[in-house]
Amino acid sequence: MWDAVLDALLDTLKIFPFIFVIYVLIELLEHKTSFAKDHERLQGRLAPLIGAATGIIPQCGFSVMAAKLYDKGLIRTGTLLAVFLATSDEALIILLSDGSRAYVIVPLVVIKMIVAVAVGYGANFILPHERIAVAPLSEEDIHAFSCGREHDGKTELKVFLIDPLLHSLKITLYLLIINVALGCIIAAIGEQAISSLIIGGPYLQPLISAAVGLIPNCASSVIITDTYINNFITFGSCVAGLCANAGLGFVVLLKNPHKLKRNILLIVATYVISAAAGIIINCIALLVGAI
């Protein structure tokens, strides 16, 4: 057991510097990005495509901003779903930092983009008469930063160094806890038993993974990604969880009690689409003998 804990600690510490550097780069990118000021671009024919491409950026600030714009009637349902389905929160950062599964980033991004764009245009086609409001945004609504954090009134040192450091430490702690737990499980039941479990559950896994993805916390994307890296779930199940992982976007929508039915339908639709995508990928993997 102590060997598993030590291995988990060493593996987690190895990727911490990479996570920190990536978060600093993301803060710099967000500083140059004005999602809300350019929201008019999310009202045209290319809106679902632009929304999906924006959602791919590894942080949940854009899903928060998209939810705010949608609640004000400034973007359509298809565009919102495209952003939500494309969002992966911390997943790409963990995959890139870990290295052992970095090669799945491209297929993951491609699949999520295809699902997000297809669903976005499909929803807009089903709801052709959905109206878009024309209303000015307040200064409070203009900013979209990582996980909804505001930068106003903060020094550059805090924005570009301290905040990324604290966020990196939080994600690293999540990873450590998960790695210790998974390491102990592997030591207790063995890798062969785990492999049997994976092969036996390609249809159930996406349903569970998508449900975990709906949890509005960056820990959910960490759990999904790390369990995939440690071979506890299939790639399709990982896709299902990360498609459902819209960060704090649903929390923003649920703050409006007058649209509860609409918001529940959006959550259910995201879950069903995500789980279905994961099951389809697992079925294809079974047919080609990949799992």
Side-chain angles (χ1 to χ4, degrees), residues 271-283:
Y271 173 79
V272 171
I273 292 165
S274 301
I279 292 173
I280 291 171
I281 293 171
N282 281 348
C283 287

Side-chain angles (χ1 to χ4, degrees), residues 35-95:
F35 185 78
K37 287 182 178 178
D38 297 332
H39 69 273
E40 292 85 359
R41 297 180 184 179
L42 296 175
Q43 297 177 343
R45 294 182 179 180
L46 294 178
L49 178 60
I50 296 173
T54 304
I56 286 295
I57 298 174
Q59 47 83 37
C60 62
F62 291 129
S63 68
V64 170
M65 197 68 250
K68 289 182 179 181
L69 294 174
Y70 181 71
D71 215 36
K72 290 178 177 291
L74 294 172
I75 61 174
R76 298 179 66 182
T77 301
T79 306
L80 177 76
L81 287 174
V83 174
F84 280 6
L85 291 167
T87 299
S88 297
D89 213 347
E90 321 293 340
L92 300 185
I93 296 172
I94 295 171
L95 288 171

